[in-house]
Amino acid sequence: MDMLSGSLWDKILKFALPVALTVVLEQMFNAVDIAVLGNYSAVQTVSVAAVGTNISIVGFLVMLGFGISMGSNVVIAQSIGRKDLENVKRAVHTSALFAVFGGVLLSLVGFALSGLVLGMMSLPQEVYELAVSYLRTYLLGVPIVFVYLLSASIFRSIGQTKLPLLALVVANVVNLVLDLVFVVVLHWDVMGVALATVLANLTSALILVRLLMQRNDALKLSLHNLQLDKECLKEILHIGVPTGIQNAVFSVANVVIQGAINSLGTIVIAASSAAFPIELFAYSVFSSFSQACTTFVGQNYGARQLDRCKKILKLCLLENAIATALAVLLVLTTGKAILRFINDTPEVVEIGYQRLVIVFSAYAFSLTYDTISGYLRGFGFSFLPSLLTIIGVCGVRLYWVFFVFPYVRTFENIMLVYPVSLGITAALVIGALWWIRPTKRCA
């Protein structure tokens, strides 16, 4: 995709929509796992709660890897804008090798701490044992997830967003088939869906790696050229680490919220777990426009087309608002039917839909700060938006759980933390944009 000239409206849309569908499919792993367990497990509600309580932890791992991958995306996009193909090659091979090493390290640390982390989440005993089994099986595939995320970021840096999507389509089919085999036929229950997810992720990672190895340009991946280029890795980590830490701490705050939800009982846990993958459908829409903003700005900043960068921000905000509104409307219209498909317990459906309504009320704030953060990241300003997000989202949520929730221990009260924290964060990031003024500073 030529991001440096021509119309932007249609190109941003063509970039963002496949990314949105990719994020949806990434979340489909959990949704399918929960649906299969909710319909075929011998202990349906307990199994669903065990997988659901791990969503925040799995999100921590995935979002940490995704944040690092954004560093690769920006470095490669800026290098393409400068027409520095040698740096593109170094970034591709550095990213691939770092994905393997970083994934293995995180997997080992996670396996050692899994029991401790889940033990701190106030789980009922019957849920705790299954939750540990699921998490430890999933952790075996973390290096595979990292390889997929870094490979996908390489393709997106040139506007190629369809291939990561197609790889995930194949992976989701594999996941569904294996879920049914492992749960319905072999009765492996929670451990079966975790193993199915690992093998499905392996499928998508192998597809993208193979496609990179078959290319004939600067993005070609060659095993004998794998090396960690110090300067290139420094650039990637400069942008990726703050983003990764932001995403990781974001997930830590969600783990704390999940702990508060867990204290309200198994039915509430199951309801929240069933609603979470659905609300991520709308999240995937506005996050995709943030990625589009980062990549388009990265290339145009590399080519020093600063006026075009400002236009990109305005269009991303506008298109994001329209697309997110349509996604939210669709989910609210069909939400109860989807919840009944996942778990047909009446109390689970009502409480799950209540979560959807409250969380969606805050998405106007989310798309604003997320798109602006993506814009700043495209210029290489990653630390400040990440810091403000940690303060606004994570800080407020932790304060709410420890100092507000104990006085009114209801599901409605814990859910209100979403609009409050996201509204504060949007105000902080808008202030950062006004203070940095990246086009003037970079000029």
Side-chain angles (χ1 to χ4, degrees):
M1 183 182 293
D2 179 10
M3 302 182 188
L4 302 177
S5 62
S7 171
L8 284 169
W9 177 274
D10 57 327
K11 291 179 181 178
I12 290 173
L13 198 61
K14 289 177 181 177
F15 182 104
L17 289 183
V19 173
L21 290 173
T22 299
V23 177
V24 169
L25 288 178
E26 287 172 348
Q27 304 305 324
M28 283 296 292
F29 288 116
N30 278 324
V32 170
D33 291 349
I34 290 174
V36 170
L37 290 172
N39 286 278
Y40 299 106
S41 172
V43 282
Q44 294 179 1
T45 302
V46 175
S47 295
V48 169
V51 174
T53 202
N54 273 300
I55 290 178
S56 296
I57 300 174
V58 170
F60 169 87
L61 301 171
V62 173
M63 295 308 288
L64 181 60
F66 176 76
I68 301 297
S69 74
M70 287 302 296
S72 299
N73 182 292
V74 172
V75 170
I76 295 173
Q78 290 183 355
S79 299
I80 291 172
R82 295 194 305 266
K83 302 187 184 303
D84 185 356
L85 299 184
E86 286 302 316
N87 202 55
V88 172
K89 294 177 183 177
R90 288 192 292 270
V92 167
H93 291 90
T94 298
S95 299
L97 197 56
F98 181 79
V100 176
F101 288 153
V104 170
L105 178 61
L106 191 59
S107 180
L108 293 174
V109 173
F111 197 92
L113 297 178
S114 56
L116 176 63
V117 172
L118 288 169
M120 297 169 62
M121 294 179 66
S122 305
L123 290 170
Q125 185 60 34
E126 69 272 18
V127 177
Y128 171 79
E129 293 178 1
L130 290 179
V132 171
S133 175
Y134 177 89
L135 181 57
R136 287 181 173 171
T137 305
Y138 179 87
L139 284 166
L140 297 174
V142 169
I144 298 168
V145 173
F146 271 41
V147 169
Y148 169 80
L149 291 172
L150 269 295
S151 300
S153 74
I154 292 171
F155 281 108
R156 288 172 188 154
S157 66
I158 58 169
Q160 177 54 273
T161 57
K162 293 180 181 178
L163 289 179
L165 171 61
L166 293 174
L168 269 189
V169 170
V170 176
N172 270 270
V173 173
V174 172
N175 184 59
L176 174 59
V177 172
L178 293 180
D179 270 353
L180 293 173
V181 172
F182 293 160
V183 176
V184 180
V185 179
L186 300 178
H187 306 292
W188 289 355
D189 208 80
V190 167
M191 190 171 72
V193 296
L195 182 59
T197 300
V198 171
L199 295 175
N201 283 327
L202 178 62
T203 302
S204 59
L206 289 176
I207 290 173
L208 292 190
V209 169
R210 181 64 177 168
L211 290 173
L212 285 173
M213 295 177 69
Q214 291 176 341
R215 295 185 69 92
N216 294 314
D217 56 13
L219 296 185
K220 179 179 176 63
L221 178 64
S222 176
L223 295 181
H224 69 269
N225 286 331
L226 287 174
Q227 60 178 342
L228 291 176
D229 182 274
K230 292 182 180 180
E231 287 302 315
C232 195
L233 182 61
K234 182 179 178 181
E235 285 185 80
I236 292 171
L237 296 181
H238 172 73
I239 298 167
V241 167
T243 307
I245 292 175
Q246 167 198 316
N247 293 337
V249 175
F250 198 115
S251 297
V252 168
N254 286 340
V255 169
V256 174
I257 291 177
Q258 184 64 49
I261 292 171
N262 292 345
S263 69
L264 299 176
T266 301
I267 291 293
V268 175
I269 299 173
S272 185
S273 301
F276 190 70
I278 301 173
E279 71 192 43
L280 286 175
F281 166 72
Y283 166 81
S284 69
V285 174
F286 68 73
S287 68
S288 69
F289 282 93
S290 173
Q291 292 182 54
C293 197
T294 297
T295 306
F296 275 75
V297 169
Q299 281 206 21
N300 282 274
Y301 169 57
R304 291 301 186 269
Q305 298 185 157
L306 301 183
D307 287 338
R308 190 173 173 86
C309 291
K310 291 189 286 187
K311 186 177 181 181
I312 289 167
L313 174 60
K314 294 175 183 177
L315 286 175
C316 283
L317 284 170
L318 177 59
E319 292 187 41
N320 201 347
I322 295 171
T324 302
L326 292 174
V328 168
L329 180 62
L330 175 63
V331 172
L332 289 180
T333 303
T334 61
K336 288 190 176 181
I338 299 173
L339 285 167
R340 278 192 289 269
F341 174 75
I342 296 174
N343 190 318
D344 60 2
T345 305
E347 296 92 337
V348 169
V349 173
E350 289 302 317
I351 295 172
Y353 190 77
Q354 182 181 26
R355 173 180 173 125
L356 292 178
V357 172
I358 295 175
V359 171
F360 284 159
S361 69
Y363 271 14
F365 301 128
S366 297
L367 73 88
T368 300
Y369 86 75
D370 212 42
T371 304
I372 294 175
S373 295
Y375 175 72
L376 294 172
R377 201 169 289 122
F379 287 97
F381 296 106
S382 183
F383 177 76
L384 185 58
S386 297
L387 176 62
L388 294 178
T389 301
I390 290 172
I391 294 172
V393 173
C394 307
V396 171
R397 291 182 184 182
L398 293 175
Y399 176 85
W400 193 278
V401 169
F402 291 117
F403 297 103
V404 177
F405 175 68
Y407 293 99
V408 184
R409 299 182 63 83
T410 65
F411 185 67
E412 296 89 340
N413 185 35
I414 195 62
M415 286 294 102
L416 285 176
V417 73
Y418 287 100
V420 171
S421 61
L422 294 174
I424 291 173
T425 304
L428 291 173
V429 173
I430 290 172
L433 175 64
W434 177 84
W435 182 67
I436 295 176
R437 298 183 181 183
T439 53
K440 290 186 178 181
R441 182 170 298 196
C442 293

